[in-house]
Amino acid sequence: MNLLPESRRSRQFLLVISILFALFIVGLIRERTTFDTNNWQLIFHKTTLDKAITPSSKFGAQKQVSISRHQHSSTISASNPEKLAYTTWLSSTISDPDSDFNEDVYFLATRILVYQLLHAPQTRSLRGIPVVVLVTPDVSRTRRERLRRDGAIVRPVSNIKTGSDWIAPGDSRWRDVLSKLRVWEMTEYSRVLLLDGDTVLQRSLDGVFDEPNAQVIPSLTNVTNLPDDEAKLPSHYLLASTGELPNANHKYPPDWDDFKNFGTFCAGFLLLEPSLDMFRYYKSILAQPNRFDSRFPEQNLWNYAHRWDGPMPWKQVSSTWNVRSVNSEDFRQGVASMHEKWWQDVFSGSQEVAEWFNRVRWEMEGFYQCWDELGSYDN
């Protein structure tokens, strides 16, 4: 048994207390708001860090955190027999791959999402569902390693070539988004929830997998006049999402009186079944110039392939699971996740929502800073 000297244990304990106190003061200054003891706790989530920050018996805090992470790993194998996964996608199309982490807002957003899905008590998976981050070739080694240390499974993916130059994204930062199709190659998982990186959670998303429309179903066989230049249809599929909101002026929960473009969905929240047949089907569509409007490449591809009058119509899950362009009413009513660029002004102008986004960001920073200081990583 490797016992730490009393003086070293004392120094570690004082270090942890000092870090927590400093982060508490920084949090108060940054947020200029009072923490609700019934909501998030700035003691960095007691249920997650009890063992991590409390020296125990003859063992140091360092060993306690390592034990906590092994327990999480065993939960994944014991309680997730269906092999579900949360997935997001990261590229460096709008930032210097070698820039400082704190200057890369999409990387920070991805870290927040990983933190909330894996560690934060009010939002983490209670089923041990892992988080897979797809990273394009331009994502730096240091960013990949940071995500692994945060608890994510990092999966490098190559970009997808269409064989022609007809794909014309409406924004240069979307030039690599078709590599999101690589999620359909993750056939070691039975079902996946694909989330945009700029998603912030209020509660766990585990329950969305239980929605009736989140189940794998057969493709339709009675649809006629299908193009003959596309690959054979998969025999079964899952594609479920919510409608897309044009702005923050909507009721809660939003419905088709609020969504834009009746019958189309937002690609920022997508339930799917990985399938190589589906991957090949999508690629066959990409080979046909102007088959769909390519300004939003992956979103419009999926909306074409899963149009409501086609053989694999997408299914709608409750919009209480995800809202884009969130307003104060969405937030107060408890929408599970919010698709919003938290580093910019909130579309609705809600100061309440903006302050909450800021709080979650600094909770993530504080949580991992404590783990880093304790040398908690064992992978």
Side-chain angles (χ1 to χ4, degrees):
M1 185 178 296
N2 183 21
L3 302 181
L4 293 175
E6 182 67 31
S7 59
R8 183 178 174 189
R9 293 204 310 270
S10 299
R11 287 197 300 271
Q12 282 190 335
F13 182 73
L14 290 173
L15 174 62
V16 172
I17 296 301
S18 299
I19 291 170
L20 290 173
F21 180 75
L23 290 167
F24 177 78
I25 298 300
V26 170
L28 289 178
I29 294 171
R30 289 186 180 277
E31 296 177 38
R32 293 177 295 176
T33 187
T34 302
F35 288 105
D36 178 355
T37 57
N38 293 318
N39 197 353
W40 292 86
Q41 302 294 317
L42 193 65
I43 308 301
F44 301 106
H45 318 306
K46 187 175 185 299
T47 55
T48 301
L49 281 178
D50 262 352
K51 295 180 180 178
I53 65 176
T54 305
S56 171
S57 181
K58 297 180 181 179
F59 295 91
Q62 197 168 9
K63 182 65 174 177
Q64 292 294 329
V65 179
S66 180
I67 292 172
S68 177
R69 280 183 63 80
H70 283 307
Q71 288 173 337
H72 177 73
S73 298
S74 65
T75 301
I76 290 176
S77 60
S79 64
N80 188 24
E82 196 198 344
K83 294 283 286 184
L84 306 174
Y86 292 116
T87 306
T88 191
W89 173 89
L90 178 67
S91 75
S92 291
T93 53
I94 64 169
S95 64
D96 180 352
D98 298 318
S99 64
D100 183 80
F101 288 168
N102 292 320
E103 297 175 4
D104 186 345
V105 290
Y106 280 96
F107 177 71
L108 288 176
T110 302
R111 292 193 71 201
I112 289 173
L113 183 58
V114 171
Y115 160 70
Q116 289 198 294
L117 289 168
L118 290 180
H119 306 299
Q122 287 192 347
T123 58
R124 68 182 178 182
S125 172
L126 298 180
R127 304 181 187 180
I129 300 174
V131 178
V132 181
V133 181
L134 306 181
V135 296
T136 55
D138 55 1
V139 175
S140 67
R141 181 189 62 80
T142 53
R143 281 167 171 73
R144 298 180 190 207
E145 179 57 27
R146 177 72 255 184
L147 291 170
R148 290 189 183 100
R149 295 178 71 196
D150 289 351
I153 298 169
V154 175
R155 186 181 182 110
V157 295
S158 59
N159 292 323
I160 290 180
K161 307 300 182 183
T162 63
S164 64
D165 59 359
W166 74 275
I167 299 293
D171 192 303
S172 60
R173 62 191 171 94
W174 301 331
R175 69 174 184 264
D176 295 335
V177 294
L178 285 175
S179 60
K180 290 182 183 180
L181 270 63
R182 298 290 182 189
V183 72
W184 271 267
E185 295 181 310
M186 293 171 45
T187 53
E188 66 269 34
Y189 300 100
S190 52
R191 288 183 295 154
V192 167
L193 175 59
L194 176 62
L195 297 158
D196 270 9
D198 51 346
T199 300
V200 185
L201 278 56
Q202 277 203 107
R203 53 187 171 90
S204 174
L205 297 176
D206 286 357
V208 75
F209 287 102
D210 301 328
E211 288 260 346
N213 280 347
Q215 312 307 313
V216 177
I217 57 175
S219 300
L220 301 179
T221 58
N222 58 351
V223 178
T224 58
N225 299 320
L226 296 179
D228 58 8
D229 54 4
E230 297 173 0
K232 181 181 177 181
L233 292 172
S235 61
H236 50 82
Y237 75 103
L238 165 62
L239 202 296
S241 185
T242 64
E244 184 171 18
L245 289 163
N247 53 53
N249 183 23
H250 55 260
K251 61 181 175 298
Y252 184 84
D255 57 27
W256 286 107
D257 290 332
D258 304 296
F259 298 138
K260 67 178 183 180
N261 300 330
F262 182 79
T264 63
F265 60 86
C266 177
F269 188 93
L270 205 67
L271 285 147
L272 62 100
E273 177 199 26
S275 161
L276 295 181
D277 287 342
M278 186 67 78
F279 179 70
R280 287 188 284 268
Y281 176 70
Y282 290 152
K283 290 190 70 175
S284 74
I285 296 172
L286 290 172
Q288 308 306 319
N290 304 312
R291 185 55 51 92
F292 59 89
D293 181 352
S294 68
R295 286 177 296 176
F296 303 96
E298 87 288 28
Q299 177 164 297
N300 287 350
L301 165 64
W302 294 329
N303 268 292
Y304 165 77
H306 299 282
R307 57 199 181 275
W308 275 354
D309 61 353
M312 297 185 293
W314 71 277
K315 301 297 182 179
Q316 187 174 356
V317 295
S318 170
S319 54
T320 59
W321 287 111
N322 182 263
V323 165
R324 184 176 179 271
S325 303
V326 64
N327 58 40
S328 291
E329 187 64 14
D330 302 324
F331 178 73
R332 293 169 187 167
Q333 291 289 333
V335 62
S337 63
M338 295 163 283
H339 185 183
E340 188 96 32
K341 291 175 174 50
W342 50 263
W343 59 90
Q344 299 177 352
D345 291 337
V346 177
F347 279 121
S348 66
S350 171
Q351 187 63 24
E352 176 183 19
V353 173
E355 288 179 351
W356 188 82
F357 283 161
N358 194 45
R359 169 161 40 180
V360 173
R361 183 263 170 95
W362 290 106
E363 285 180 355
M364 178 275 291
E365 296 275 10
F367 178 89
Y368 286 125
Q369 185 175 346
C370 285
W371 275 30
D372 287 347
E373 293 290 344
L374 291 170
S376 60
Y377 297 98
D378 50 18
N379 56 331

